[in-house]
Amino acid sequence: MKIYLNGKFVAKEDARISVFDHGFLYGDGAFEGIRSYDGLVFKLSEHLDRLYETAHTLMIKIPLSKEEMQAAIIDTLKANRLLDAYIRVIVTRGEGDLGLDPRKCKGKANIVIITDKITLYPVELYKKGMEIITVPTVRNLPDALNPQLKSLNYLNNILAKIEANNSGFNEAIMLDHQGYVAECTGDNIFIIKKGVLSTPSQGRLKGITRDTVMELADLNQLKVEERIMTRHEVYVSDECFLTGTAAEIIPVVKVDGRVIGEGQPGKITLKLTKFFNQVTRKEGVRFSLDK
Ligand code: PXG
């Protein structure tokens, strides 16, 4: 496996950065998770826009233009001879001292690109549907650490994931500070009620899979709403599913012990999954492994 590290390809064992890197010391950085499907990097420009927007707010200067970053990602896929991959792009503030003052990071941001395979959930869960719970850890407040930022500080989500795992679940619903449904630890959430698709309008990451599903629903004359959502509405929905680059679309059949709809992946969920599997082979930046 070859890892992109600040413009060079290095073996996995040699892909190291300093212990004074502020991404390591403080989670001070940004990341993206992207997928490539059969030589097509899905929605690459949307992922790059989000990465550069997170860096902008964190005031981290990425030493590559978006075009250069795109080329670095494609080069990493080629170096690893991968047409299908999960791509992780990591940008840290770089090396500083032991204080958290970002002004001490005088060098360049560190950039790492890893291309690998990922299967987030067991295959049978995609067929049977997943059971999830709501956990006590509240999603970060937008005016504390905005969930729109895909920063390296994922402890809010990890604490929620630990609570889910401790109770024997793979994924958890996180509520916002007002008690409304925000999202899951690494996925956005959708419900369908009487043919209308809804997803939370606030307190969540603006997921690229989420946006894609909303576009697909719209194209197929399904009514889509972004709105405030309560747990009760999730419990009494006809269908529920989660979306994310790593997870793609995964049906949910039970939430906090309440059976959703018929207790199996819903018809509209399966239809949207079919459309999603088509669009991921159509939209994005194409590359080939030929020299
Ligand atoms: N919400 C959160 C909090 C996420 O981290 C999504 C939604 C989905 O966004 P996209 O743009 O991918 O549709 C994410 C991204 C993991 C893992 O191991 C999950 C993500 C990122 C990194 C790791 O579960 N999901």
Side-chain angles (χ1 to χ4, degrees):
M1 182 190 284
K2 289 183 185 137
I3 314 281
Y4 174 100
L5 178 62
N6 297 324
K8 296 201 176 78
F9 288 110
V10 294
K12 187 178 171 182
E13 303 71 43
D14 302 323
R16 294 169 197 275
I17 56 169
S18 164
V19 292
F20 287 92
D21 179 278
H22 276 212
F24 174 71
L25 286 174
Y26 299 113
D28 187 355
F31 80 100
E32 273 300 316
I34 311 168
R35 261 190 201 272
S36 161
Y37 295 91
D38 197 20
L40 188 72
V41 187
F42 183 61
K43 299 238 169 175
L44 180 54
S45 69
E46 286 81 351
H47 282 284
L48 290 179
D49 286 348
R50 190 170 65 182
L51 178 69
Y52 281 72
E53 284 179 4
T54 297
H56 177 77
T57 290
L58 298 180
M59 299 186 84
I60 291 176
K61 184 166 170 16
I62 301 181
L64 299 180
S65 66
K66 282 188 196 169
E67 292 70 28
E68 288 166 334
M69 183 65 89
Q70 172 167 319
I73 290 168
I74 307 266
D75 286 348
T76 312
L77 289 163
K78 286 184 177 175
N80 287 284
R81 302 209 59 77
L82 286 170
L83 289 172
D84 289 275
Y86 178 76
I87 304 154
R88 176 63 57 90
V89 182
I90 303 138
V91 177
T92 76
R93 194 176 300 278
E95 287 170 40
D97 65 13
L98 291 179
L100 59 83
D101 191 338
R103 291 174 300 188
K104 299 289 179 61
C105 301
K106 294 202 189 301
K108 281 189 180 162
N110 276 316
I111 300 179
V112 177
I113 305 170
I114 307 168
T115 53
D116 203 355
K117 302 274 177 189
I118 193 171
T119 40
L120 215 52
Y121 304 118
V123 188
E124 66 267 19
L125 280 188
Y126 286 84
K127 294 196 190 104
K128 279 195 334 204
M130 188 159 61
E131 237 184 271
I132 61 175
I133 53 164
T134 309
V135 291
T137 294
V138 166
R139 192 75 178 98
N140 282 328
L141 269 77
D143 44 2
L145 181 57
N146 195 327
Q148 300 268 41
L149 298 178
K150 211 160 164 57
S151 84
L152 290 181
N153 186 328
Y154 250 54
L155 280 176
N156 181 221
N157 315 57
I158 291 166
L159 287 171
K161 190 74 140 184
I162 289 170
E163 288 164 350
N165 293 163
N166 283 347
S167 302
F169 295 86
N170 284 317
E171 186 50 296
I173 292 182
M174 299 182 77
L175 306 177
D176 68 13
H177 62 289
Q178 292 178 301
Y180 294 113
V181 173
E183 60 180 335
C184 292
T185 69
D187 310 295
N188 289 112
I189 185 165
F190 282 87
I191 58 169
I192 298 162
K193 181 78 173 175
K194 297 194 194 320
V196 180
L197 186 67
S198 314
T199 192
S201 50
Q202 57 184 44
R204 72 326 176 237
L205 180 75
K206 201 170 177 313
I208 287 161
T209 318
R210 169 189 185 273
D211 288 353
T212 305
V213 165
M214 289 198 294
E215 281 162 25
L216 289 171
D218 211 35
L219 280 174
N220 289 281
Q221 281 78 49
L222 192 63
K223 197 171 168 222
V224 191
E225 283 178 349
E226 279 186 88
R227 60 177 175 82
I228 283 172
M229 187 182 288
T230 63
R231 275 195 299 162
H232 171 68
E233 288 169 294
V234 177
Y235 298 158
V236 300
S237 65
D238 299 327
E239 299 184 30
C240 177
F241 63 87
L242 312 182
T243 63
T245 298
E248 301 179 296
I249 298 176
I250 181 148
V252 171
V253 292
K254 218 184 226 187
V255 178
D256 297 332
R258 279 76 162 184
V259 174
I260 306 300
E262 308 279 306
Q264 54 192 38
K267 281 202 189 74
I268 299 176
T269 304
L270 296 177
K271 211 188 259 183
L272 287 168
T273 305
K274 195 181 96 190
F275 297 147
F276 181 75
N277 291 336
Q278 288 165 350
V279 80
T280 52
R281 271 85 185 162
K282 260 191 243 149
E283 264 181 45
V285 174
R286 208 169 280 286
F287 68 97
S288 82
L289 296 180
D290 310 332
K291 288 273 148 54

